[in-house]
Amino acid sequence: MTLRGRSPRRGDSLSKLGLVRDGAVLACDGKILAAGHRKQVERLPAAKRAEKFDVGGRVILPGFVDSHTHLIHAASRAEEYELKIQGASYEEIARKGGGILNSVKKLRAATREALKGRAAAALSEFAAHGTTTLEAKSGYGLDVASELKILRLHRELNEEQPLEIVSTFLGAHVVPAEFRGKPDGAERYLALLIEKLLPEIVIGDLAEYCDVFCDRGAFTLAQSKQLLTKAKEHGLAPRLHAEQLSRTGATQLAVELEAASCDHLEHVNDADIRGLARSDTVATLLPGCDFHLGLKGYAPARKLIEAGAIVGLATDYNPGTSPTMSMPMVLSLACTQLQLTPAEATTAATINAAYSLGRDKAVGSLEPGKQADLAVWDVEDYREIPYYFGMNLCWMTMKRGEIIWMKD
Ligand SMILES: [Zn+2]
């Protein structure tokens, strides 16, 4: 599956997979020279000198691009998982000091080495599930030193292991405990982010994007706008956690600010959908989150696609609401819960996700000039990737022409 053609994809073009039967990919120095019919590719002069690697008739896809993860955190929240099963809501747990603040406490106490080790293990797991590029958000530090620690780890990990990490600053995840319960606590915290953290991030070139959790119990629309506008002035493009627990108007704000991506969208209304459809902001859907929380109100994916919005898919890998590194599982959920076809889900998880990270000219499809980032699947038909749920059928993952993971 080459997914060749224009990006981003909207409407019917989400189903155009560029399928090639008996295909081959020719790569050199980490880049694709050709991707197409095997006989044609084999006739190329560069192919004559190439080392041949037979994948035995398996299905080849571009590597998945996971455009929403909270990679760096200190520990799981399995104890809250049990509380939720027994009836406590996500917001009740958060009010009792659980939720994100629980992760913040653990992250601040963790050593750099421990955080890095945990993230490195997660990155190997992402690669084993066919992901070759991912976005990573800070947001469990929520003070100057801890947020910078996370963002510096993004950079170190980017240099020391094969997956590409796109760094996002999410200092506005929630208001940290030390600022809570005071009348102007949230404002004072935002001032800290704007005056102290943003300049440090820009000087250190530590993030490409700035994200805000705009929702009940997190940040208001006005606060989100204030921070994202400042971040944009500093050259950090906006992303938003929008309309997850309630409708706040964050989607309209994302459109107004020309955000790269607007994520979650469980509570969007028709006007929000029309706004997204007219914009170049990607509607990134995170069905793993609703699945893990046991929520029934998934985002209206079909309406978004039919209106013409650019739909993307991501894991939202995080310890509280979506503890998975598996894009194949996200595809299964997208098919059964969001009613995407396997073709639409695949496009959303590759080229459209790449577009949301400003990487669609480099990754997200198998085309000459792009990076040789691909995953080989042990299936006869690409639809079997979401069809077999909760299993990993990835056989091999390649990043920039190097095999970075292979099934035993
Ligand atoms: Zn998130």
Side-chain angles (χ1 to χ4, degrees), residues 35-316:
H37 291 286
R38 183 173 59 83
K39 286 191 178 132
Q40 287 170 0
V41 172
E42 280 176 350
R43 255 184 248 129
L44 297 169
K48 304 239 162 31
R49 301 186 298 273
E51 180 191 343
K52 192 170 166 181
F53 191 92
D54 186 354
V55 302
R58 294 177 175 86
V59 172
I60 304 182
L61 249 65
F64 285 129
V65 178
D66 193 343
S67 56
H68 185 139
T69 88
H70 302 253
L71 176 68
I72 309 275
H73 52 264
S76 97
R77 300 213 305 260
E79 68 289 353
E80 292 179 12
Y81 180 58
E82 190 164 13
L83 290 174
K84 273 179 272 188
I85 293 164
Q86 290 163 341
S89 76
Y90 176 63
E91 287 169 286
E92 278 162 13
I93 290 169
R95 275 197 296 275
K96 288 177 191 156
I100 295 167
L101 290 177
N102 183 359
S103 289
V104 170
K105 210 185 295 169
K106 287 176 179 162
L107 186 137
R108 288 178 180 177
T111 64
R112 212 185 118 274
E113 288 67 31
L115 293 172
K116 193 171 174 181
R118 186 178 174 84
L123 288 164
S124 301
E125 218 36 61
F126 277 106
H129 288 82
T131 295
T132 47
T133 301
L134 76 161
E135 185 257 19
K137 302 176 194 296
S138 67
Y140 292 121
L142 308 188
D143 62 31
V144 174
S146 307
E147 284 293 302
L148 290 175
K149 178 164 74 173
I150 298 171
L151 294 170
R152 287 185 185 124
L153 280 174
H154 289 167
R155 170 183 290 167
E156 277 178 42
L157 286 161
N158 205 16
E159 287 164 0
E160 294 169 16
Q161 57 76 55
L163 297 193
E164 182 179 6
I165 299 170
V166 180
S167 181
T168 294
F169 171 53
L170 178 62
H173 201 179
V174 289
V175 178
E178 60 273 24
F179 285 87
R180 286 184 173 237
K182 290 161 192 147
D184 59 348
E187 270 67 30
R188 288 201 299 116
Y189 179 60
L190 275 182
L192 174 84
L193 297 185
I194 291 167
E195 288 155 26
K196 292 256 161 46
L197 254 167
L198 273 181
E200 291 261 12
I201 291 166
V202 173
I203 291 165
D205 193 17
L206 291 172
E208 279 180 55
Y209 294 96
C210 181
D211 195 340
V212 175
F213 187 14
C214 179
D215 216 319
R216 212 159 60 190
F219 291 89
T220 66
L221 198 60
Q223 291 163 347
S224 304
K225 186 172 182 175
Q226 188 195 352
L227 176 60
L228 291 174
T229 305
K230 278 282 172 221
K232 213 175 161 180
E233 287 168 18
H234 283 291
L236 271 66
R239 313 181 81 82
L240 266 159
H241 282 66
E243 335 291 5
Q244 180 191 5
L245 306 168
S246 60
R247 189 186 172 278
T248 61
T251 303
Q252 302 285 355
L253 176 64
V255 171
E256 181 191 328
L257 295 175
E258 298 175 319
S261 184
C262 184
D263 302 26
H264 282 293
L265 308 178
E266 281 82 348
H267 292 90
V268 281
N269 66 22
D270 288 347
D272 298 333
I273 293 172
R274 282 195 300 275
L276 279 171
R278 280 194 297 266
S279 78
D280 293 329
T281 298
V282 178
T284 300
L285 308 181
L286 311 167
C289 191
D290 301 294
F291 172 77
H292 183 76
L293 293 175
L295 303 175
K296 304 283 180 275
Y298 285 82
R302 285 255 56 93
K303 275 188 167 183
L304 283 159
I305 290 174
E306 272 138 37
I310 308 164
V311 170
L313 282 171
T315 60
D316 191 13

